[in-house]
């Protein structure tokens, strides 16, 4: 691992198993751990305690900590139809599940495989179907990562509604975050004491300003050294307006932070179903992430979405938002932006994907990818494009 880097799933799993064993060995004699590996069917309050009903014994507890992790959803009607079609025509359909439980043994070399969705599980599936089948990566003379197929890979066709994979996480360049919010911080949060007294619209406006502030805090010293960055940022922090900063520093249009392009990359990279366009996007994403969260303006800006999570948790825990605002502004608007921009894979995975696209092993379709089936041909096919509204974090 690199300093401040991200552990692979397998390495993190080894660490978690070690830590669990370490904790058990370190417990004092007054503490006993009993491991019950059963599915919990219900947790019911009863006389100041909790009755925990499992598939086996029923337990009585003073406290219950529910660490659910990722749970499997029931199949949608569409997924049921795809599974039924696959069974009827002898095709292979893997329903959404945990990546470590994917069963790809029936997929033959050079078969065409459709992967629906470009999130974190997509990268796990791709790794299993490429490196997991003997392929390897190496550095070319140009310094870019390249892929040497083993010959046992399938032909992977992938897509999603957005048509672009999750953004790569910016590389950390310091051991700890020294983030202090200018617009979203505990002093501001503590000024609200009554449940439902904070406006969700105001919260997201402040989140937007926080992201812009972090962006220009890195951009100005780097590309506009003649501007008085400290004074301009102080004015921004006081007024909440970035237009004054942009005007005084004469920030070029291409250097201005653009939420629309960040959330809807097809506006900057149209025709992304063309390989050269997708390669350009992936190359740019890797470079953006590798510049780091302290030296790269965009990486610094997107890092804010992770830095403010504790503040968001405090707001939710104190019920400072109304139920409607919590649903509309947090679970919908904020979560969609955060999910695409801030919870993606490390830069190494995007770099590997670029190599796979370059090698022709992976083809990424344009936005609005959908899957249907052709009963005459007995094959899955790309379905009609649904209508999608562009994502936004900007609050009018």
């Amino acid at each position: 691992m690199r300093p401040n880097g991200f552990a692979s799933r397998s390495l993190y799993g080894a660490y978690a198993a070690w830590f669990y064993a370490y904790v058990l060995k370190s417990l004092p004699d007054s503490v006993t751990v009993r491991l019950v590996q059963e599915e919990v069917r219900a947790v019911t309050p009863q006389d100041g305690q909790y009755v925990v009903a499992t598939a086996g014994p029923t337990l009585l507890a003073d406290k219950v900590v529910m660490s659910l992790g990722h749970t499997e959803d029931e199949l949608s009607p569409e997924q049921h139809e795809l599974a039924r079609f696959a069974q009827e025509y002898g095709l292979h359909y893997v329903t959404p599940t945990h990546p470590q439980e994917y069963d790809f043994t029936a997929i033959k070399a050079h078969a065409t495989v459709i992967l629906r969705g470009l999130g974190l599980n997509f990268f796990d599936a791709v790794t299993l179907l490429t490196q997991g089948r003997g392929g390897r990566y190496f550095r070319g003379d140009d310094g870019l990562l390249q892929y040497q197929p083993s010959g046992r890979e399938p032909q992977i066709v992938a897509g999603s509604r957005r048509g672009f994979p999750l953004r790569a996480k910016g590389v950390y360049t310091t051991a700890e975050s020294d983030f202090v919010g200018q617009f979203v911080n505990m002093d501001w949060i503590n000024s609200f004491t009554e449940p439902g007294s904070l406006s969700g619209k105001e919260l997201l406006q402040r989140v937007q300003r926080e992201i812009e502030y972090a962006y220009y805090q890195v951009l100005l010293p780097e590309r506009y050294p003649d501007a008085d960055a400290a004074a301009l940022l102080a004015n921004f922090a006081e007024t909440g307006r970035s237009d004054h900063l942009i005007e005084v520093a004469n920030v070029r249009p291409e250097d201005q932070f653009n939420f629309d392009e960040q959330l809807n990359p097809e506006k900057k990279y149209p025709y992304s179903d063309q390989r050269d366009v997708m390669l350009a996007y992936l190359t740019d994403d890797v470079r953006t992430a590798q510049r780091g969260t302290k030296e790269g303006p965009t990486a610094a800006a997107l890092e804010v979405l992770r830095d403010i999570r504790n503040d968001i948790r405090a707001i939710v825990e104190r019920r400072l938002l109304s139920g409607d605002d919590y649903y509309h502004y947090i679970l919908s608007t904020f979560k969609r932006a955060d999910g695409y921009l801030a919870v993606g894979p490390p830069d190494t995975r995007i770099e590997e994907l670029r190599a796979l696209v370059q090698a022709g092993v992976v083809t990424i379709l344009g936005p609005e990818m959908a899957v249907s089936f052709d009963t005459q041909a007995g094959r899955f096919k790309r379905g009609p494009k649904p209508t999608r509204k562009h994502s936004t974090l900007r609050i009018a």
Side-chain angles (χ1 to χ4, degrees):
M1 287 180 62
R2 299 174 304 191
N4 306 315
F6 298 96
S8 65
R9 287 187 186 272
S10 57
L11 182 58
Y12 183 77
Y15 164 74
W18 169 84
F19 186 74
Y20 175 68
Y22 171 78
V23 168
L24 293 183
K25 291 179 181 179
S26 304
L27 291 174
D29 294 338
S30 59
V31 176
T32 302
V33 173
R34 176 189 174 196
L35 177 63
V36 179
Q37 292 182 295
E38 296 283 358
E39 178 185 1
V40 175
R41 302 290 178 83
V43 179
T44 307
Q46 178 178 296
D47 300 328
Q49 292 182 302
Y50 297 92
V51 177
V52 182
T54 75
T58 297
L59 309 173
L60 191 64
D62 297 313
K63 301 288 184 182
V64 173
V65 178
M66 299 176 68
S67 301
L68 301 180
H70 294 281
T71 59
E72 294 184 18
D73 293 332
E74 294 183 0
L75 296 186
S76 68
E78 179 199 26
Q79 291 167 339
H80 275 296
E81 279 297 298
L82 293 173
R84 179 198 60 76
F85 178 78
Q87 184 176 15
E88 182 177 347
Y89 287 85
L91 304 177
H92 191 67
Y93 177 62
V94 178
T95 57
T97 186
H98 301 283
Q100 68 270 24
E101 297 177 3
Y102 288 149
D103 182 7
F104 292 151
T105 54
I107 298 177
K108 298 179 180 179
H110 310 298
T112 300
V113 175
I114 298 173
L115 295 182
R116 185 163 65 165
L118 297 173
L120 293 177
N121 286 1
F122 160 75
F123 291 93
D124 293 312
V126 166
T127 300
L128 290 171
L129 292 170
T130 54
Q131 276 185 299
R133 295 196 169 194
R136 66 181 185 88
Y137 295 99
F138 64 95
R139 290 284 170 191
D141 295 336
D142 57 2
L144 296 175
L145 199 66
Q146 297 185 25
Y147 181 75
Q148 177 62 51
S150 67
R152 297 192 291 121
E153 299 89 346
Q155 180 63 46
I156 300 171
V157 178
S160 67
R161 283 173 293 182
R162 180 176 272 109
F164 293 81
L166 301 184
R167 293 292 300 268
K169 288 189 179 79
V171 174
Y172 290 100
T173 50
T174 57
E176 296 181 1
S177 172
D178 55 0
F179 173 81
V180 177
Q182 298 292 324
F183 303 96
V184 180
N185 52 55
M186 290 309 300
D187 287 341
W188 174 70
I189 293 171
N190 289 336
S191 68
F192 298 90
T193 58
E194 296 297 324
S197 58
L198 173 59
S199 161
K201 179 178 179 179
E202 179 185 357
L203 172 60
L204 287 202
Q205 285 175 335
R206 284 176 172 265
V207 170
Q208 177 183 314
R209 293 168 190 156
E210 203 73 78
I211 293 171
E212 288 183 286
Y213 185 95
Y215 177 83
Y216 290 113
Q217 188 176 34
V218 177
L219 178 83
L220 292 180
E222 178 196 15
R223 298 186 190 175
Y224 299 89
D226 294 335
D228 188 344
L232 291 173
L233 289 167
N235 178 271
F236 183 13
E238 182 179 352
T239 65
R241 295 181 56 183
S242 60
D243 52 352
H244 173 77
L245 178 154
I246 292 170
E247 180 181 357
V248 173
N250 197 24
V251 179
R252 294 182 292 273
E254 64 270 20
D255 284 340
Q256 296 173 22
F257 190 76
N258 190 320
F259 272 107
D260 202 24
E261 285 187 357
Q262 294 296 327
L263 288 168
N264 303 288
E266 72 270 23
K267 294 197 172 185
K268 185 177 180 180
Y269 293 93
Y271 309 107
S272 60
D273 55 336
Q274 298 179 13
R275 188 172 70 165
D276 288 346
V277 175
M278 180 52 64
L279 287 173
Y281 168 80
L282 295 172
T283 300
D284 180 63
D285 193 35
V286 169
R287 289 173 178 170
T288 296
Q290 290 181 346
R291 290 197 65 190
T293 58
K294 297 301 177 185
E295 298 179 359
T298 300
L302 301 186
E303 178 68 10
V304 168
L305 288 166
R306 291 196 289 275
D307 285 329
I308 65 172
R309 284 176 183 169
N310 283 338
D311 298 308
I312 298 294
R313 291 187 185 103
I315 290 170
V316 173
E317 181 182 1
R318 300 180 188 186
R319 300 180 182 271
L320 297 181
L321 298 172
S322 69
D324 287 344
D325 275 13
Y326 173 63
Y327 176 80
H328 178 72
Y329 291 103
I330 300 297
L331 294 185
S332 298
T333 306
F334 177 81
K335 192 173 182 180
R336 281 198 300 267
D338 181 66
Y340 173 60
L341 298 174
V343 300
D347 60 291
T348 51
R349 286 301 191 199
I350 298 295
E351 197 173 16
E352 290 170 358
L353 179 59
R354 186 199 179 282
L356 292 169
V357 172
Q358 178 71 60
V361 176
V362 174
T363 299
I364 298 181
L365 303 174
E368 315 304 343
M369 177 262 218
V371 176
S372 62
F373 44 80
D374 186 335
T375 54
Q376 291 185 340
R379 291 289 184 268
F380 291 113
K381 67 176 183 178
R382 179 176 178 174
K385 293 184 178 182
T387 301
R388 180 177 75 91
K389 295 181 179 180
H390 285 136
S391 298
T392 180
L393 186 61
R394 185 171 296 278
I395 306 300

